[in-house]
Coordinates of all heavy atoms in Angstrom, one line a residue:
A12 N 5.9 2.2 -9.7 CA 7.1 1.8 -10.4 C 7.4 0.3 -10.3 O 7.7 -0.3 -11.3 CB 8.3 2.6 -9.8
V13 N 7.3 -0.2 -9.1 CA 7.7 -1.6 -8.9 C 6.6 -2.6 -9.5 O 7.0 -3.6 -10.0 CB 7.9 -2.0 -7.4 CG1 9.1 -1.2 -6.8 CG2 6.7 -1.8 -6.6
T14 N 5.4 -2.2 -9.5 CA 4.4 -3.1 -10.1 C 4.6 -3.1 -11.7 O 4.3 -4.1 -12.3 CB 2.9 -2.7 -9.8 OG1 2.7 -1.3 -10.1 CG2 2.7 -3.0 -8.3
N15 N 5.0 -1.9 -12.2 CA 5.3 -2.0 -13.7 C 6.6 -2.7 -14.0 O 6.7 -3.2 -15.1 CB 5.3 -0.5 -14.2 CG 3.9 0.0 -14.4 OD1 3.2 -0.5 -15.3 ND2 3.5 1.0 -13.7
M16 N 7.6 -2.6 -13.1 CA 8.8 -3.2 -13.4 C 8.8 -4.7 -13.2 O 9.4 -5.5 -13.9 CB 9.9 -2.7 -12.5 CG 10.3 -1.2 -12.8 SD 11.5 -0.6 -11.6 CE 11.6 1.1 -12.1
R17 N 8.0 -5.2 -12.2 CA 7.9 -6.6 -11.8 C 6.4 -7.0 -11.5 O 6.1 -7.3 -10.3 CB 8.8 -6.9 -10.5 CG 10.2 -6.8 -10.8 CD 10.8 -7.9 -11.7 NE 10.4 -9.2 -11.3 CZ 11.1 -10.0 -10.5 NH1 12.2 -9.6 -9.9 NH2 10.6 -11.2 -10.2
P18 N 5.6 -7.0 -12.5 CA 4.2 -7.3 -12.2 C 4.0 -8.7 -11.7 O 2.9 -9.0 -11.1 CB 3.5 -7.1 -13.6 CG 4.6 -7.1 -14.6 CD 5.8 -6.7 -13.9
D19 N 4.9 -9.6 -12.0 CA 4.8 -11.0 -11.5 C 4.9 -11.1 -10.0 O 4.5 -12.1 -9.5 CB 6.0 -11.8 -12.2 CG 7.4 -11.2 -11.8 OD1 7.6 -10.1 -12.1 OD2 8.2 -12.0 -11.3
L20 N 5.3 -10.0 -9.3 CA 5.4 -10.1 -7.9 C 4.1 -9.7 -7.1 O 4.0 -9.8 -5.9 CB 6.6 -9.3 -7.4 CG 7.9 -9.7 -7.8 CD1 9.0 -8.7 -7.3 CD2 8.3 -11.0 -7.4
F21 N 3.2 -9.1 -7.8 CA 2.0 -8.5 -7.2 C 0.7 -9.1 -7.8 O 0.5 -9.2 -8.9 CB 2.0 -7.0 -7.4 CG 3.3 -6.4 -6.8 CD1 4.3 -6.1 -7.6 CD2 3.4 -6.0 -5.5 CE1 5.5 -5.6 -7.1 CE2 4.5 -5.5 -5.0 CZ 5.6 -5.2 -5.8
G22 N -0.2 -9.4 -6.8 CA -1.5 -9.8 -7.2 C -2.5 -8.5 -7.3 O -3.4 -8.4 -8.1
V23 N -2.2 -7.6 -6.3 CA -3.0 -6.4 -6.3 C -2.1 -5.3 -5.6 O -1.3 -5.7 -4.7 CB -4.3 -6.6 -5.4 CG1 -4.0 -7.0 -4.0 CG2 -5.2 -5.4 -5.6
V24 N -2.4 -4.1 -5.9 CA -1.7 -2.9 -5.2 C -2.7 -1.9 -4.9 O -3.6 -1.6 -5.7 CB -0.6 -2.3 -6.2 CG1 -0.1 -1.0 -5.6 CG2 0.5 -3.3 -6.4
V25 N -2.7 -1.4 -3.7 CA -3.6 -0.3 -3.3 C -2.7 1.0 -3.2 O -1.8 1.1 -2.5 CB -4.2 -0.6 -1.9 CG1 -5.0 0.6 -1.5 CG2 -5.0 -1.9 -1.9
A26 N -3.0 1.9 -4.1 CA -2.3 3.2 -4.1 C -3.3 4.3 -3.8 O -4.1 4.7 -4.6 CB -1.7 3.4 -5.5
K27 N -3.1 4.7 -2.6 CA -4.0 5.8 -2.1 C -3.4 7.1 -2.5 O -2.2 7.4 -2.2 CB -4.1 5.8 -0.6 CG -4.9 4.6 0.0 CD -5.0 4.7 1.5 CE -5.9 3.6 2.0 NZ -6.1 3.8 3.4
V28 N -4.1 7.9 -3.2 CA -3.7 9.2 -3.8 C -2.3 9.0 -4.4 O -1.3 9.6 -4.0 CB -3.6 10.3 -2.7 CG1 -3.4 11.7 -3.3 CG2 -4.9 10.3 -1.8
P29 N -2.2 8.2 -5.4 CA -0.9 7.9 -6.1 C -0.3 9.1 -6.8 O -1.0 9.8 -7.5 CB -1.2 6.8 -7.0 CG -2.6 7.0 -7.4 CD -3.3 7.6 -6.1
F30 N 0.9 9.4 -6.6 CA 1.7 10.4 -7.3 C 2.6 9.6 -8.2 O 3.8 9.3 -7.9 CB 2.5 11.2 -6.2 CG 3.4 12.3 -6.8 CD1 2.8 13.3 -7.6 CD2 4.7 12.4 -6.5 CE1 3.6 14.3 -8.2 CE2 5.5 13.4 -7.0 CZ 4.9 14.3 -7.8
V31 N 2.0 9.1 -9.3 CA 2.7 8.1 -10.1 C 3.5 8.7 -11.3 O 4.3 7.9 -11.9 CB 1.8 7.0 -10.6 CG1 1.3 6.2 -9.5 CG2 0.7 7.6 -11.5
D32 N 3.4 9.9 -11.6 CA 4.1 10.5 -12.7 C 4.7 11.8 -12.3 O 4.2 12.9 -12.7 CB 3.2 10.6 -14.0 CG 4.0 10.8 -15.2 OD1 5.3 11.2 -15.1 OD2 3.5 10.8 -16.3
A33 N 5.7 11.8 -11.5 CA 6.3 13.0 -10.9 C 6.9 13.9 -12.1 O 6.7 15.1 -12.0 CB 7.4 12.6 -10.0
L34 N 7.4 13.2 -13.1 CA 8.0 14.0 -14.2 C 6.9 14.9 -14.9 O 7.2 16.1 -15.0 CB 8.6 13.1 -15.2 CG 9.4 13.7 -16.3 CD1 10.5 14.6 -15.8 CD2 10.0 12.6 -17.2
N35 N 5.8 14.3 -15.3 CA 4.8 15.1 -16.0 C 4.2 16.2 -15.0 O 3.9 17.3 -15.4 CB 3.7 14.2 -16.5 CG 3.8 14.0 -18.0 OD1 4.5 14.7 -18.7 ND2 3.1 13.1 -18.5
T36 N 4.0 15.8 -13.8 CA 3.5 16.8 -12.8 C 4.4 17.9 -12.7 O 4.0 19.1 -12.7 CB 3.3 16.1 -11.4 OG1 2.4 15.0 -11.6 CG2 2.7 17.0 -10.4
M37 N 5.7 17.7 -12.5 CA 6.6 18.8 -12.3 C 6.8 19.6 -13.6 O 6.9 20.9 -13.6 CB 8.0 18.3 -11.9 CG 7.9 17.7 -10.5 SD 9.5 17.3 -9.8 CE 10.1 16.0 -11.0
L38 N 6.8 19.0 -14.8 CA 6.9 19.7 -16.0 C 5.7 20.6 -16.2 O 5.8 21.7 -16.8 CB 7.1 18.8 -17.2 CG 8.5 18.1 -17.3 CD1 8.4 17.0 -18.4 CD2 9.5 19.1 -17.6
G39 N 4.5 20.2 -15.7 CA 3.3 21.0 -15.8 C 3.3 22.2 -14.9 O 2.5 23.1 -15.1
R40 N 4.2 22.2 -13.9 CA 4.2 23.3 -12.9 C 5.3 24.3 -13.2 O 5.7 25.1 -12.3 CB 4.3 22.7 -11.5 CG 3.2 21.9 -11.1 CD 3.4 21.4 -9.6 NE 2.3 20.6 -9.2 CZ 2.3 19.8 -8.2 NH1 3.4 19.8 -7.4 NH2 1.3 19.1 -7.8
Q41 N 6.0 24.2 -14.3 CA 7.2 25.0 -14.5 C 6.9 26.5 -14.6 O 7.8 27.3 -14.6 CB 7.9 24.5 -15.7 CG 8.6 23.2 -15.5 CD 9.5 23.1 -14.3 OE1 10.4 24.0 -14.2 NE2 9.3 22.2 -13.4
S42 N 5.6 26.9 -14.8 CA 5.3 28.3 -14.9 C 5.5 29.0 -13.6 O 5.6 30.3 -13.6 CB 3.9 28.5 -15.5 OG 3.0 27.9 -14.6
S43 N 5.5 28.3 -12.5 CA 5.7 29.0 -11.2 C 7.1 29.5 -11.0 O 8.0 28.9 -11.4 CB 5.3 28.0 -10.1 OG 5.6 28.5 -8.9
A44 N 7.2 30.7 -10.5 CA 8.5 31.4 -10.2 C 9.3 30.6 -9.1 O 10.5 30.6 -9.2 CB 8.3 32.8 -9.9
S45 N 8.6 30.1 -8.1 CA 9.3 29.5 -7.0 C 9.2 28.0 -7.2 O 8.2 27.5 -7.7 CB 8.6 29.9 -5.6 OG 7.3 29.5 -5.6
P46 N 10.2 27.3 -6.8 CA 10.2 25.8 -6.9 C 9.1 25.1 -6.0 O 8.9 25.6 -4.9 CB 11.6 25.4 -6.5 CG 12.1 26.5 -5.6 CD 11.4 27.7 -6.2
S47 N 8.5 24.1 -6.6 CA 7.4 23.4 -5.9 C 8.1 22.4 -4.9 O 9.3 22.2 -5.0 CB 6.6 22.7 -6.8 OG 7.3 21.6 -7.4
A48 N 7.3 21.9 -4.0 CA 7.8 20.9 -3.1 C 8.3 19.7 -3.9 O 9.3 19.1 -3.5 CB 6.8 20.5 -2.1
S49 N 7.6 19.4 -5.0 CA 8.0 18.3 -5.8 C 9.4 18.5 -6.4 O 10.3 17.6 -6.5 CB 7.0 18.0 -6.9 OG 5.8 17.8 -6.4

Side-chain angles (χ1 to χ4, degrees):
V13 297
T14 54
N15 280 297
M16 291 176 186
R17 291 294 308 271
D19 57 303
L20 297 178
F21 302 93
V23 66
V24 170
V25 177
K27 293 184 173 184
V28 192
F30 182 54
V31 294
D32 194 348
L34 185 59
N35 257 347
T36 300
M37 290 186 301
L38 287 171
R40 294 182 182 166
Q41 291 304 306
S42 59
S43 174
S45 63
S47 68
S49 300

